Amino acid sequence: MKEKVFDIFASLKARRWSLGHVLFAVVAVLLAIAFFLALPYRLRALPGGAMTVRHVTEATAVVNGQPQTVTLPYTFRDLPPETPISLTFAVDTRASFSLLVKTVYAPTEVAFNGETISAYGKKGTYPSFLDDPPTTVRIFNFRPDVNGPRTGTITVTYEFPHDRAQLPVAPFSISNTSGLYRYEFGYLMACFFVEVFLALMGLVLVLLSFSIYDVKSSRSMLLFLGLFFLAVGVWNIGENDFSVFAIQNATLLYLMAFTGLFFVIAPLYGFALSAVTFRWQRLLTAVFYLEVLLPALALLLQLAGLVMMMQSLFVFHLLHPLALALLVVALVYEAVHEKNIRARWILVPVAALLASALLEVLNYYVFRRFEFAMLFLAGAYVFLLLMLVLTGAILRKNARMKQDYERQAHEHELLELRLAAEKERHDMMLAEERRLSGIRHDLKHHVSLFSELVAQGNIEHMKEYLAGLTKAIAAHHPAHYAENLAVNAIAAHYAALAETQGIAVTIDLVVPEHAGSLTDAELASVFGNLLENAIEACERSRGHVVPPPAAETPASEQGQPPFARSSRPSHELPPRPFLELKARVLDGRLVIILDNTCAEPPAKDGERYLSSKRGHAAPGLGLSSITAITAAHGGRATFDSDGRAFHSSVILEL
């Protein structure tokens, strides 16, 4: 799955799709999904013709036998649990009609002309871990009685809830079924649409955090940002009255609403801690864990039937604004005192979210103008827009920092290789100087012996001695592979290492002493990485060596070097691990090919080979270094494995 994701994004990159293009496409797809999820309910409102919706705002309420006239919406307060509250109003019975009733954590019974027609929230009809039935919206249908009176009465009876000190009663809505669906769609569908979009967007960001970015902080930022929007979306889907028609499960909506609300601040803290290194890191981390553990505890207590989430809500009405305020103060400190750029970026959207949270708490306890968290949802939308822009900027900066780090690491690696090559050359020169010094030291003894043999006329003995001396000098002559001293030193070093490990070595190099724009360090890096990887592959292939295929590389084949690889009959193939290295200068380019035993195909992630040294968790540094050098010199590097041998081809512009 991960390889497919990398393939998709590699193809997008090849078509010059930026991250902005990808996010725009994702947003467009999510909007389309959310729209089509909502579309059936829009169409459902059309058949039969939608009548105008009439709202009942005046009713006669009877509480403890005391009648009173109330104007809806109205809130009954501080009554004993299960106290019956009846609201009665008159209706026209000459035509069919439907009644929409919203219940808020209270058992509800609907009667028409004194006859009960429906009841909701009786014990046993909802899970035992709830003390009161969850909030829901129900539609009741009435048919005319042609022989009855022109008007009738509807009585809606509530029981005061156990876990709340108040019972809000919304206005009743009367129309036909199509009219009520049309009304619900027009009033709440826009919010439902955006809430579904937020939840889907959160899921996409969470998936992207596991699929794309290699930088740990970038993955964490995307993950927590996705979890934040998922929590906001789930919370508000659970709060939206229209969700009752879409999901048809009041208990699930109850859990979604409170779980999303309780967990909404934790991912915001996680995002901030991933993006900014705070001076108060320990304190903010402690608040983060508190915002994770307390909601989890509230959920467990709810499922155990010990403490209702409605009762826990008051803790989070205090905890969430305080946590947001602390985060804003920390961001202000980092932005002003520590001059932290990222803190400045994040401060504005988090401050906007804090303002919306404070307004929501004020609205909940004082004004009560909205049925669900419209103010905080509006703040979340502002936060969403700002954070998507800012997160994109932070991720781009992280990507540049990663590239700079990799470039510096590559330059450091090249410097180390250059120093190693220089040390190799120096050691070889010292060894040669010591050998020549020894020869000069022994030369006088040889001359004395020659003089003595001449004086004796022993010419045959002198010839034998000269032959032995010539053979001894030739045996100690250092290997010569290329005119370029750095390449020669690297080739000599790895050839000697390979031969000591029983690897059949064939090296045929034509590399000039001065290789144009290529530095000795770059040449040492390319040849050193190729040979080091080849020797490691040969070592891993011991015990199941498969001889290489005898194949000729066409000069015209794209991506392959324009000269032939070796081609030998099968009976001449080496019976042990092998490596064959060739290099030529052709048309102003240095062309390098290397074949080596590779019985086990290397692990790949998309088009990239993974390093066995790093547990196949990241691309190999050697091949990455070679690719970077070829790209810097307008060349190309291709690598391929056929299950028997590994083939490397490198072309460098001189």
CSV table of all heavy atoms in Angstrom, one decimal, residues 342-371:
chain,number,residue,atom,x,y,z
A,342,ARG,N,7.8,30.2,14.3
A,342,ARG,CA,6.7,29.3,14.2
A,342,ARG,C,5.6,29.6,15.3
A,342,ARG,O,4.5,29.5,15.0
A,342,ARG,CB,7.2,27.8,14.4
A,342,ARG,CG,7.9,27.3,13.2
A,342,ARG,CD,8.1,25.8,13.4
A,342,ARG,NE,8.8,25.2,12.3
A,342,ARG,CZ,9.0,23.9,12.1
A,342,ARG,NH1,8.6,23.1,13.1
A,342,ARG,NH2,9.6,23.4,11.1
A,343,ALA,N,6.1,30.1,16.4
A,343,ALA,CA,5.1,30.5,17.5
A,343,ALA,C,4.3,31.7,17.0
A,343,ALA,O,3.1,31.7,17.2
A,343,ALA,CB,5.9,30.8,18.7
A,344,ARG,N,4.9,32.6,16.2
A,344,ARG,CA,4.2,33.7,15.7
A,344,ARG,C,3.1,33.2,14.7
A,344,ARG,O,2.0,33.7,14.6
A,344,ARG,CB,5.1,34.7,15.0
A,344,ARG,CG,6.1,35.4,16.0
A,344,ARG,CD,7.1,36.3,15.3
A,344,ARG,NE,8.0,36.9,16.2
A,344,ARG,CZ,9.0,37.7,15.9
A,344,ARG,NH1,9.2,38.0,14.6
A,344,ARG,NH2,9.8,38.2,16.8
A,345,TRP,N,3.5,32.2,13.9
A,345,TRP,CA,2.6,31.7,12.9
A,345,TRP,C,1.4,31.1,13.5
A,345,TRP,O,0.2,31.3,13.1
A,345,TRP,CB,3.3,30.7,12.0
A,345,TRP,CG,4.3,31.2,11.1
A,345,TRP,CD1,4.6,32.5,10.8
A,345,TRP,CD2,5.2,30.5,10.2
A,345,TRP,NE1,5.6,32.7,9.9
A,345,TRP,CE2,6.0,31.4,9.5
A,345,TRP,CE3,5.4,29.1,10.0
A,345,TRP,CZ2,7.0,31.0,8.6
A,345,TRP,CZ3,6.4,28.7,9.1
A,345,TRP,CH2,7.2,29.7,8.4
A,346,ILE,N,1.6,30.3,14.6
A,346,ILE,CA,0.5,29.5,15.2
A,346,ILE,C,-0.3,30.4,16.1
A,346,ILE,O,-1.5,30.1,16.4
A,346,ILE,CB,1.1,28.3,15.9
A,346,ILE,CG1,1.9,27.4,15.0
A,346,ILE,CG2,0.0,27.5,16.6
A,346,ILE,CD1,2.6,26.3,15.6
A,347,LEU,N,0.2,31.5,16.7
A,347,LEU,CA,-0.4,32.3,17.7
A,347,LEU,C,-1.8,32.8,17.2
A,347,LEU,O,-2.8,32.7,18.0
A,347,LEU,CB,0.5,33.4,18.1
A,347,LEU,CG,-0.2,34.4,19.1
A,347,LEU,CD1,-0.5,33.7,20.4
A,347,LEU,CD2,0.8,35.6,19.4
A,348,VAL,N,-1.9,33.3,16.0
A,348,VAL,CA,-3.1,34.0,15.6
A,348,VAL,C,-4.3,33.0,15.5
A,348,VAL,O,-5.4,33.2,16.0
A,348,VAL,CB,-2.9,34.7,14.2
A,348,VAL,CG1,-4.2,35.2,13.7
A,348,VAL,CG2,-1.9,35.8,14.4
A,349,PRO,N,-4.1,31.8,14.8
A,349,PRO,CA,-5.2,30.9,14.7
A,349,PRO,C,-5.6,30.3,16.1
A,349,PRO,O,-6.8,30.1,16.4
A,349,PRO,CB,-4.8,29.8,13.8
A,349,PRO,CG,-3.3,29.9,13.7
A,349,PRO,CD,-3.0,31.4,13.9
A,350,VAL,N,-4.7,30.0,17.0
A,350,VAL,CA,-5.0,29.5,18.3
A,350,VAL,C,-5.7,30.6,19.1
A,350,VAL,O,-6.7,30.2,19.9
A,350,VAL,CB,-3.7,29.0,19.0
A,350,VAL,CG1,-4.0,28.6,20.4
A,350,VAL,CG2,-3.1,27.8,18.3
A,351,ALA,N,-5.3,31.8,19.0
A,351,ALA,CA,-6.0,32.9,19.7
A,351,ALA,C,-7.4,33.0,19.2
A,351,ALA,O,-8.3,33.3,20.0
A,351,ALA,CB,-5.2,34.2,19.6
A,352,ALA,N,-7.6,32.9,17.9
A,352,ALA,CA,-9.0,32.9,17.4
A,352,ALA,C,-9.8,31.8,17.9
A,352,ALA,O,-11.0,32.0,18.2
A,352,ALA,CB,-8.9,32.9,15.9
A,353,LEU,N,-9.2,30.6,18.0
A,353,LEU,CA,-9.9,29.5,18.6
A,353,LEU,C,-10.3,29.7,20.1
A,353,LEU,O,-11.4,29.4,20.5
A,353,LEU,CB,-9.1,28.2,18.4
A,353,LEU,CG,-9.8,26.9,18.6
A,353,LEU,CD1,-10.9,26.7,17.6
A,353,LEU,CD2,-8.8,25.7,18.6
A,354,LEU,N,-9.3,30.3,20.8
A,354,LEU,CA,-9.6,30.6,22.2
A,354,LEU,C,-10.8,31.6,22.4
A,354,LEU,O,-11.7,31.4,23.2
A,354,LEU,CB,-8.4,31.2,22.9
A,354,LEU,CG,-8.5,31.7,24.3
A,354,LEU,CD1,-9.0,30.6,25.3
A,354,LEU,CD2,-7.2,32.4,24.8
A,355,ALA,N,-10.8,32.6,21.5
A,355,ALA,CA,-11.9,33.6,21.6
A,355,ALA,C,-13.2,32.9,21.3
A,355,ALA,O,-14.2,33.2,22.0
A,355,ALA,CB,-11.6,34.7,20.6
A,356,SER,N,-13.2,32.0,20.3
A,356,SER,CA,-14.5,31.4,20.0
A,356,SER,C,-14.9,30.4,21.1
A,356,SER,O,-16.1,30.3,21.4
A,356,SER,CB,-14.4,30.6,18.7
A,356,SER,OG,-13.5,29.5,18.8
A,357,ALA,N,-14.0,29.8,21.8
A,357,ALA,CA,-14.3,28.9,22.9
A,357,ALA,C,-14.9,29.7,24.1
A,357,ALA,O,-15.9,29.3,24.7
A,357,ALA,CB,-13.1,28.1,23.4
A,358,LEU,N,-14.3,30.9,24.4
A,358,LEU,CA,-14.8,31.7,25.5
A,358,LEU,C,-16.2,32.2,25.2
A,358,LEU,O,-17.1,32.2,26.0
A,358,LEU,CB,-13.8,32.9,25.7
A,358,LEU,CG,-12.4,32.5,26.3
A,358,LEU,CD1,-11.6,33.7,26.4
A,358,LEU,CD2,-12.6,31.8,27.7
A,359,LEU,N,-16.4,32.6,23.9
A,359,LEU,CA,-17.7,33.1,23.5
A,359,LEU,C,-18.7,31.9,23.6
A,359,LEU,O,-19.9,32.1,23.9
A,359,LEU,CB,-17.7,33.6,22.1
A,359,LEU,CG,-17.0,35.0,21.9
A,359,LEU,CD1,-16.9,35.3,20.4
A,359,LEU,CD2,-17.7,36.1,22.7
A,360,GLU,N,-18.3,30.7,23.3
A,360,GLU,CA,-19.2,29.6,23.3
A,360,GLU,C,-19.6,29.3,24.8
A,360,GLU,O,-20.8,29.0,25.0
A,360,GLU,CB,-18.5,28.3,22.7
A,360,GLU,CG,-19.5,27.1,22.5
A,360,GLU,CD,-20.6,27.5,21.6
A,360,GLU,OE1,-20.4,27.9,20.5
A,360,GLU,OE2,-21.8,27.3,22.0
A,361,VAL,N,-18.7,29.3,25.7
A,361,VAL,CA,-19.0,29.1,27.1
A,361,VAL,C,-19.9,30.2,27.6
A,361,VAL,O,-20.9,29.9,28.3
A,361,VAL,CB,-17.7,29.1,27.9
A,361,VAL,CG1,-18.0,29.1,29.4
A,361,VAL,CG2,-16.9,27.9,27.6
A,362,LEU,N,-19.7,31.5,27.2
A,362,LEU,CA,-20.5,32.6,27.6
A,362,LEU,C,-21.9,32.4,27.0
A,362,LEU,O,-22.9,32.6,27.7
A,362,LEU,CB,-19.9,33.9,27.1
A,362,LEU,CG,-20.6,35.2,27.5
A,362,LEU,CD1,-20.5,35.4,29.0
A,362,LEU,CD2,-20.0,36.4,26.7
A,363,ASN,N,-22.0,31.9,25.8
A,363,ASN,CA,-23.3,31.7,25.1
A,363,ASN,C,-24.0,30.6,25.8
A,363,ASN,O,-25.3,30.6,26.1
A,363,ASN,CB,-23.1,31.3,23.7
A,363,ASN,CG,-24.4,30.9,23.0
A,363,ASN,OD1,-25.3,31.6,22.7
A,363,ASN,ND2,-24.4,29.6,22.7
A,364,TYR,N,-23.3,29.5,26.2
A,364,TYR,CA,-23.9,28.3,26.9
A,364,TYR,C,-24.6,28.7,28.2
A,364,TYR,O,-25.7,28.2,28.5
A,364,TYR,CB,-22.9,27.2,27.0
A,364,TYR,CG,-23.5,25.9,27.5
A,364,TYR,CD1,-24.0,25.0,26.7
A,364,TYR,CD2,-23.5,25.6,28.9
A,364,TYR,CE1,-24.5,23.8,27.1
A,364,TYR,CE2,-24.0,24.5,29.4
A,364,TYR,CZ,-24.5,23.5,28.5
A,364,TYR,OH,-25.1,22.4,29.0
A,365,TYR,N,-23.9,29.5,29.0
A,365,TYR,CA,-24.3,29.8,30.4
A,365,TYR,C,-25.1,31.1,30.5
A,365,TYR,O,-25.8,31.2,31.5
A,365,TYR,CB,-23.1,29.8,31.3
A,365,TYR,CG,-22.5,28.5,31.6
A,365,TYR,CD1,-21.3,28.1,30.9
A,365,TYR,CD2,-23.1,27.6,32.4
A,365,TYR,CE1,-20.8,26.9,31.2
A,365,TYR,CE2,-22.5,26.3,32.7
A,365,TYR,CZ,-21.4,26.0,32.0
A,365,TYR,OH,-20.8,24.7,32.3
A,366,VAL,N,-25.0,32.0,29.5
A,366,VAL,CA,-25.7,33.3,29.7
A,366,VAL,C,-26.7,33.5,28.6
A,366,VAL,O,-27.9,33.7,28.9
A,366,VAL,CB,-24.6,34.4,29.7
A,366,VAL,CG1,-25.3,35.8,29.8
A,366,VAL,CG2,-23.6,34.2,30.8
A,367,PHE,N,-26.3,33.5,27.3
A,367,PHE,CA,-27.3,33.9,26.3
A,367,PHE,C,-28.1,32.8,25.8
A,367,PHE,O,-29.3,33.0,25.4
A,367,PHE,CB,-26.5,34.6,25.1
A,367,PHE,CG,-25.7,35.8,25.6
A,367,PHE,CD1,-24.3,35.8,25.6
A,367,PHE,CD2,-26.4,37.0,25.9
A,367,PHE,CE1,-23.6,36.9,26.0
A,367,PHE,CE2,-25.6,38.1,26.3
A,367,PHE,CZ,-24.3,38.0,26.4
A,368,ARG,N,-27.6,31.6,25.6
A,368,ARG,CA,-28.3,30.5,25.1
A,368,ARG,C,-29.1,30.8,23.8
A,368,ARG,O,-30.2,30.5,23.6
A,368,ARG,CB,-29.3,30.0,26.2
A,368,ARG,CG,-28.7,29.6,27.5
A,368,ARG,CD,-29.7,29.1,28.5
A,368,ARG,NE,-29.1,28.8,29.7
A,368,ARG,CZ,-28.4,27.6,29.9
A,368,ARG,NH1,-28.4,26.7,28.9
A,368,ARG,NH2,-27.9,27.3,31.0
A,369,ARG,N,-28.3,31.3,22.8
A,369,ARG,CA,-29.0,31.7,21.6
A,369,ARG,C,-28.9,30.6,20.5
A,369,ARG,O,-29.6,30.6,19.5
A,369,ARG,CB,-28.4,33.0,21.0
A,369,ARG,CG,-28.6,34.2,21.9
A,369,ARG,CD,-28.1,35.4,21.2
A,369,ARG,NE,-28.4,36.6,22.0
A,369,ARG,CZ,-28.1,37.9,21.7
A,369,ARG,NH1,-27.5,38.1,20.6
A,369,ARG,NH2,-28.4,38.9,22.5
A,370,PHE,N,-28.0,29.6,20.7
A,370,PHE,CA,-27.8,28.6,19.8
A,370,PHE,C,-28.1,27.2,20.4
A,370,PHE,O,-27.8,27.0,21.6
A,370,PHE,CB,-26.4,28.6,19.2
A,370,PHE,CG,-26.1,29.8,18.4
A,370,PHE,CD1,-25.3,30.8,19.0
A,370,PHE,CD2,-26.6,30.1,17.2
A,370,PHE,CE1,-25.0,32.0,18.4
A,370,PHE,CE2,-26.3,31.2,16.5
A,370,PHE,CZ,-25.5,32.2,17.1
A,371,GLU,N,-28.6,26.3,19.6
A,371,GLU,CA,-28.9,25.0,20.1
A,371,GLU,C,-27.6,24.1,20.2
A,371,GLU,O,-27.6,23.1,20.9
A,371,GLU,CB,-29.9,24.3,19.3
A,371,GLU,CG,-31.2,25.0,19.2
A,371,GLU,CD,-32.2,24.3,18.4
A,371,GLU,OE1,-31.9,23.2,17.9
A,371,GLU,OE2,-33.3,24.9,18.1
